[in-house]
C-alpha cells in the first residue's frame, strides 16, 4: 500500500517543475471525446440559462453587474467596502468617501439598468460625488448638508456597506447564519460555516478564533441540518509558516483534533481550508496527524480543501486518497480553483525561486481542476466536493458522474454565499444534487476585507463570473474547451509573467533565491551553516601601502577595456552565487544574521554586480554629441583614481561589494575597508573578486577600526570616498576632505541612517500594519539603516493597533541566528548591547512592551521594545537596534505630521499605511525622504527596482542600486576635434549634389 508519507517526495518535486511538464498528464486526464463534449455543452447551455435568470433577480446582483470589477467605479466601490466599516472617526471616513467616490464617473451609469433600485442607488452615488467632489455644485450641497446638521452621505455609505456585507456574509453569528439558512432563499442548500477574519497575529487572536469554531460546531450540531464547519489553520496560530513548523504544528494539531472531536460529537463535518502554497506541506502534516489519531477511527467527517491552481493539486488528491486508506476513514475533499494567485506569483518573483508553484494561465487552472475532479471521482477513500461557479466545469462533472453511475449523494457541489445565484438552485431543489454554500460568519467590519478578496478572485477579467456578465464575451468563447486552449499554447507559461530569474531581463539575470519555505531544505541548510568556515585574514599592508599599490595600478586598470571590467563583475556575481552557502555561513557566524537575512545579503551583493555591470555597459561608453559640421565632440566617462570604500557591519557583504563593484567598473582602483566587526566576509569577497579577474593593483583590503578609516580618508591621494555608516562619522569624513588647502575637491558618497517613521491612519488594516511593523522595526534586530524608528499612529486606532502589536511581538522567536525558526538574533557587539540597554533603562517608565530574551550568557540579545513618547518631537536621534518609538497624531494633521518628521533633518525612509490614495499622494508630495513605502514594510530595497539612499542627515546621494550611481564615480571628459583641418566632414561626400 502506498501511504501518504510515500507521496511527499512527489509533492516536493512538483512544486517548482516547469508548467508544460506538469500540465501534460493533466491534459490527458481532463480530455473528453467529441460525443462527450457535445453532451457537456448541452448541459452547460441549460446552466447558463439558469444563471442568467438568477442574475436578473434581485437589485444587488444587477447593481454588482453594473459596477463590475473591471470598471473604475466597481473598483472604487470595492476599495470603499474594504476599509469603510473599520474607520472609527468621522473625519477620516469622509476623506475615504471623497477619495473613492470623487474621481469616478457615476453619472455614466444613470438610467443604465432596467432595475429601479440600481438606478436609485446610482443617483445616490452621483449625489455623493457632488457633495465630496470639487465642482461648484458641491459647494451648494455642502451648505445644505451643513444646514441640515446631518452627514447624510456618510450615513448613506455606511448603510450601503452594511447592505453589501449582508449580501456576502451569511450572519454576524452562527445562530444568525443558521436562521438565514432556514429561509426560503436557501431552501435545498446546506452550509459550511467559516468564522472568518484575518489570519491570527497574536495567540489571543488564535484562541478567540478557536473558541468561535468550537462554538460554531455546537450550534451547527444542534441545528441538525447537515451543516459543516470550515477552519482556517492560519487563524489558529500567529506563526503558522514552515520556519516555525516545530512550534506551530503541535499546537495547531491539538486544536484541530479538539475541533474534530467536538464536531464528531455534534454530528457535523469539519473541513480544513487551503492556505498559500508555502504552507501546503505543514497543512498536510497537521491533517495527517489528526486523521491518524486513534480517536478519529470510524469517523468520516474530517475534510480538506485542495487548490487546482497549484501544480501539486492532482498529487494532493492522491495524497488524500492514500491518507483515507491508511486511516480507514474517507476524507471529505473540497476542490477549489484557488484564492491567492497574484500574491503567490509576486512572492515567488521576490524570493528569486526557480519556478512558480501555481499555473500562470487561467485555462491551465481549469484543466487542472478537471483532472483533479476526475481523479477524485475515481478515488475510493475520499468524498468529493466541487466548489465552482463555472457552468462548463459543472456540466463536465455532471456528465462524468452520470457516466460513472454515481448516486447523487456520493458527491456534492459547493458555492460561495452571494455568488452565482441561479446556477445551483434547480440542481439543489429539483434534481436531488447536494449543494453546500460556503458561508462566512462574523462582523461586517471584520469580513469586508474577505469580501473584497472573494470579489477579486471571482471578478478577475479571466474568471467565468466576470466573462459571463461581460458583453464582450460571447457564449461560444465562454464555453470553449480549456483542454483545447491549453494544447493550442503548448501548456506554456503566460508570456506576460516572467520567471523570477528573468524578471530583469534583458538587462540582467535576477539573483537566485533558496526555497526556505521547504522545511526539509531549510533544516538541512541550517545544519550546514553551523559548520565553521575558515577565512584567512592575511597580514595586509598598512593603509599607505594599500594606497601606493592602487595608485600605481590605476592607469592599467583604467585603461582596461570597459567590456573586460564588466566581465569581471559578472564573473564575481556568478562566483558568489556558486558559493552562496559559504558566504551565508560567514554572515551567520560573523555578522550574526538570521538565515533569511544572510541569503538576502548574498543576493543583494550579486544583484549589485550584475546591475552595475549592465549600467556600465549602457552608460559608460563614449558618447558622440551634436555640433556644427566639420566638428566631432565626444563625451567620455573615466575613472577618477583611487577610491576609498568604507562599508558597515550591518550589510557587510552587499554594501561592501556594491561600493567596490561600482568603483571598479567605472575605471577606479579601490582600497576597501570593512567594519572591524566583519572583516572575514570582506576578505572572502575580495578573494572571489581576485578569482573573477580583478588584479591586486585594482583592489586592496584595509582591515582595521577608526584609525584605519582616518588614515584612509585623510590621504590626499584618495580621489573619492564611498561611505555607509553613521551621520557623525560621515561629517568627520567630510571635514577630513577639507583639512588641507591644497587637497583636490573630491566626491563623497555618504549613506547614513535616519529617524525613519511609519505613519498609520485609521483606514489601514491593523493586521497588515502589525506585520509590517514587526518586519520594519525588529527584523535584523533593528540593525538596518532603513529600519523603522518611530510608529506614528492616528490616535483613533492607537489602542487597537498597540494591543495587537504587543501580542504579535510576544510570538517572535528570539535566539541563535543559525536556528531556522529565529526571527530576531543578537545585536552586533557589546558596545551596541550596553548602549541600547542603557537607553531602554533610561526610558523604562515609557516602555509599553518588551519581549522576553535569552540571557547575556547566550548572546547579546536586546529585547524588541516599544517606547511611548508624549510627542514625536522627543526623538531627535537614531537608535540602531530593535527599539520602536510610538507617538500619535490627530485626524486632519497628516501634512503637519510629515512636516514635523522632515524638521528632524533626516531623510532616509518613511512609510504610510492608508487606504486613501490622496493621503499617500500628500505624503509623497511633502516627505523629504529618499525612499517612501506605501502600505508595505519599510525595509528590503531591491537593486534596480528601489534605488536606496537618503538626503539631509541621511546621506548625499546618488542612490545605490539606481541608474545615476555610477556617474558619481566618474570624471566626465569631453574632446572636441576640428575635422576641417583634416579634410572636412567626409560623410558629406556620399550625399551627392549636397556638395
Amino acid at each position: 500500500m502506498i501511504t501518504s508519507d510515500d507521496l511527499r517526495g512527489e509533492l516536493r518535486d512538483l512544486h517548482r517543475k516547469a508548467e508544460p511538464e506538469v500540465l501534460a498528464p493533466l491534459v490527458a486526464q481532463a480530455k473528453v471525446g467529441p460525443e462527450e463534449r457535445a453532451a457537456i455543452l448541452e448541459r452547460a447551455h441549460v446552466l447558463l440559462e439558469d444563471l442568467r435568470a438568477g442574475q436578473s433577480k434581485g437589485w444587488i446582483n444587477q447593481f454588482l453587474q453594473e459596477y463590475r470589477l473591471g470598471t473604475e467605479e466597481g473598483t472604487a466601490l470595492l476599495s470603499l467596502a474594504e476599509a469603510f466599516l473599520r474607520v472609527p472617526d468621522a473625519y477620516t471616513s469622509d476623506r475615504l468617501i471623497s477619495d473613492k467616490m470623487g474621481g469616478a464617473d457615476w453619472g455614466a451609469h444613470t438610467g443604465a439598468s432596467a432595475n429601479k433600485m440600481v438606478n436609485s442607488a446610482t443617483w445616490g452615488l452621483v449625489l455623493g460625488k457632488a457633495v465630496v467632489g470639487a465642482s461648484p455644485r458641491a459647494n451648494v450641497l455642502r451648505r445644505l448638508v451643513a444646514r441640515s446638521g446631518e452627514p447624510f452621505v456618510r450615513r448613506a455609505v455606511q448603510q450601503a456597506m452594511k447592505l453589501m456585507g449582508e449580501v456576502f456574509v451569511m450572519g454576524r453569528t452562527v445562530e444568525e447564519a443558521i436562521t438565514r439558512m432556514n429561509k426560503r432563499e436557501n431552501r435545498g442548500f446546506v452550509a459550511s460555516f467559516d468564522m472568518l477574519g484575518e489570519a491570527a497575529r497574536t495567540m489571543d487572536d488564535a484562541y478567540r478564533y478557536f473558541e468561535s469554531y468550537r462554538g460554531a460546531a455546537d450550534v451547527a450540531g444542534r441545528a441538525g441540518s447537515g451543516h459543516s464547519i470550515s477552519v482556517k489553520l492560519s487563524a489558529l496560530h500567529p506563526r503558522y509558516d514552515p520556519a516555525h513548523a516545530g512550534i506551530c504544528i503541535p499546537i495547531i494539531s491539538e486544536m484541530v483534533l479538539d475541533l474534530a472531536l467536538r464536531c464528531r460529537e455534534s454530528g457535523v463535518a469539519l473541513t480544513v481550508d487551503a492556505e498559500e502554497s508555502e504552507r501546503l506541506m505543514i497543512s498536510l502534516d497537521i491533517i495527517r496527524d489528526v486523521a491518524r489519531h486513534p480517536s478519529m477511527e470510524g469517523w468520516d467527517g474530517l475534510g480538506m480543501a485542495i487548490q487546482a491552481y497549484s501544480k501539486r493539486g492532482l498529487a494532493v488528491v492522491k495524497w488524500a486518497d492514500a491518507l483515507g486508506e491508511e486511516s480507514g476513514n474517507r476524507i471529505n475533499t473540497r476542490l477549489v480553483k484557488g484564492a491567492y494567485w497574484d500574491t503567490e506569483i509576486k512572492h515567488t518573483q521576490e524570493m528569486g525561486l526557480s519556478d512558480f508553484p501555481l499555473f500562470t494561465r487561467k485555462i491551465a487552472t481549469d484543466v487542472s481542476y478537471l483532472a483533479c475532479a476526475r481523479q477524485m471521482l475515481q478515488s475510493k477513500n475520499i468524498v468529493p466536493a466541487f466548489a465552482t461557479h463555472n457552468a462548463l466545469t459543472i456540466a463536465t462533472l455532471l456528465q462524468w458522474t452520470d457516466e460513472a453511475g454515481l448516486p447523487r449523494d456520493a458527491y456534492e457541489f459547493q458555492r460561495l454565499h452571494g455568488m452565482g445565484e441561479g446556477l445551483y438552485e434547480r440542481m439543489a431543489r429539483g434534481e436531488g444534487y447536494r449543494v453546500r454554500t460556503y458561508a462566512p460568519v462574523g462582523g461586517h467590519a471584520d469580513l469586508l476585507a474577505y469580501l473584497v478578496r472573494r470579489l477579486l478572485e471571482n471578478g478577475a477579467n479571466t474568471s467565468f463570473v466576470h466573462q459571463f456578465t461581460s458583453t464582450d464575451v460571447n457564449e461560444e468563447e465562454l464555453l470553449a474547451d480549456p483542454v483545447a486552449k491549453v494544447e493550442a499554447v503548448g501548456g506554456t507559461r503566460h508570456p506576460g509573467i516572467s520567471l523570477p530569474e528573468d524578471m530583469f531581463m534583458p538587462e540582467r539575470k535576477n539573483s537566485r533565491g533558496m526555497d526556505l519555505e521547504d522545511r526539509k531544505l531549510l533544516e538541512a541548510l541550517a545544519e550546514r551553516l553551523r559548520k565553521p568556515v575558515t577565512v584567512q585574514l592575511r597580514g595586509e599592508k598598512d593603509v599607505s601601502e594599500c594606497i601606493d599599490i592602487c595608485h600605481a595600478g590605476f592607469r592599467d586598470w583604467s585603461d582596461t577595456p570597459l567590456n573586460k571590467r564588466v566581465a569581471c563583475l559578472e564573473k564575481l556575481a556568478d562566483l558568489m552565487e556558486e558559493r552562496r552557502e559559504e558566504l551565508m555561513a560567514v554572515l551567520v557566524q560573523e555578522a550574526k544574521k538570521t538565515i533569511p537575512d544572510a541569503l538576502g545579503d548574498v543576493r543583494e551583493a550579486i544583484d549589485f554586480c550584475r546591475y552595475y555591470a549592465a549600467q556600465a555597459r549602457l552608460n559608460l561608453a563614449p558618447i558622440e554629441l551634436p555640433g556644427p559640421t566639420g566638428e566631432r565632440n565626444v563625451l567620455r566617462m573615466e575613472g577618477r583614481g583611487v577610491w576609498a570604500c568604507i562599508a558597515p557591519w550591518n550589510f557587510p557583504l552587499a554594501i561592501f561589494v556594491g561600493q567596490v563593484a561600482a568603483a571598479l567598473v567605472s575605471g577606479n582602483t579601490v582600497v576597501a575597508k570593512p567594519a572591524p566587526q566583519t572583516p572575514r566576509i570582506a576578505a572572502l569577497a575580495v578573494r572571489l573578486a581576485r578569482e573573477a579577474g580583478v588584479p591586486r593593483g585594482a583592489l586592496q583590503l584595509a582591515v582595521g577600526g577608526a584609525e584605519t578609516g582616518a588614515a584612509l580618508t585623510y590621504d590626499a591621494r584618495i580621489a573619492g570616498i564611498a561611505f555607509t555608516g553613521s551621520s557623525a562619522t560621515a561629517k568627520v569624513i567630510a571635514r577630513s576632505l577639507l583639512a588641507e588647502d591644497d587637497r583636490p575637491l573630491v566626491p563623497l558618497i555618504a549613506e547614513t541612517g535616519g529617524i525613519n517613521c511609519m505613519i498609520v491612519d485609521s483606514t489601514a488594516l491593523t493586521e497588515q500594519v502589525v506585520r509590517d511593523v514587526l518586519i520594519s522595526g525588529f527584523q535584523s534586530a533593528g540593525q538596518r539603516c532603513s529600519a523603522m524608528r518611530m510608529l506614528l499612529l492616528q490616535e483613533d486606532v492607537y489602542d487597537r493597533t498597540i494591543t495587537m502589536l504587543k501580542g504579535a511581538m510576544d510570538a517572535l522567536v528570539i535566539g541563535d541566528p543559525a536556528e531556522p525558526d529565529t526571527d530576531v538574533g543578537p545585536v552586533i557587539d557589546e558596545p551596541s548591547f550596553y548602549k541600547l540597554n542603557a537607553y531602554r533603562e533610561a526610558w523604562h517608565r515609557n516602555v509599553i512592551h518588551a519581549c522576553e530574551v535569552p540571557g547575556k550568557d547566550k548572546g547579546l540579545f536586546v529585547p524588541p521594545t516599544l517606547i511611548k513618547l508624549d510627542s514625536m518631537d522627543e526623538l531627535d536621534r537614531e537608535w540602531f537596534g530593535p527599539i520602536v518609538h510610538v507617538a500619535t497624531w490627530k485626524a486632519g494633521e497628516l501634512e503637519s505630521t510629515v512636516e514635523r518628521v522632515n524638521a528632524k533633518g533626516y531623510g532616509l525612509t518613511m512609510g504610510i499605511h492608508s487606504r486613501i490614495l490622496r493621503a499617500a499622494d500628500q505624503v509623497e508630495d511633502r516627505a523629504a525622504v529618499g525612499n517612501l513605502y506605501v502600505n508595505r514594510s519599510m525595509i528590503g530595497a531591491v537593486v534596480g527596482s528601489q534605488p536606496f539612499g537618503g538626503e539631509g542627515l541621511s546621506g548625499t546621494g546618488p542612490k545605490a542600486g539606481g541608474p545615476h550611481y555610477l556617474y558619481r564615480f566618474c570624471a566626465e571628459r569631453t574632446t572636441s576635434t576640428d575635422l576641417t583641418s583634416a579634410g572636412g566632414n567626409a560623410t558629406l561626400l556620399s550625399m551627392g549634389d549636397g556638395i
Side-chain angles (χ1 to χ4, degrees), residues 879-891:
W879 290 92
F880 210 72
I883 298 173
V884 171
H885 303 80
V886 184
T888 59
W889 55 284
K890 295 181 183 296

Side-chain angles (χ1 to χ4, degrees), residues 560-614:
T560 300
L562 176 62
N563 63 350
K564 191 170 180 180
R565 300 199 302 263
V566 164
C568 287
L569 261 60
E570 291 173 334
K571 177 64 174 175
L572 175 56
D574 293 343
L575 286 171
M576 287 191 290
E577 202 154 65
E578 289 170 17
R579 295 170 63 175
R580 63 182 173 182
E581 286 194 19
E582 182 182 0
L583 292 164
M584 287 174 66
V586 180
L587 286 164
V588 169
Q589 295 163 26
E590 182 178 59
K592 302 175 184 176
K593 284 184 173 282
T594 62
I595 295 172
D597 282 349
L599 176 59
D601 208 333
V602 176
R603 289 191 64 206
E604 188 173 1
I606 294 166
D607 285 335
F608 271 134
C609 286
R610 289 179 178 155
Y611 178 74
Y612 291 145

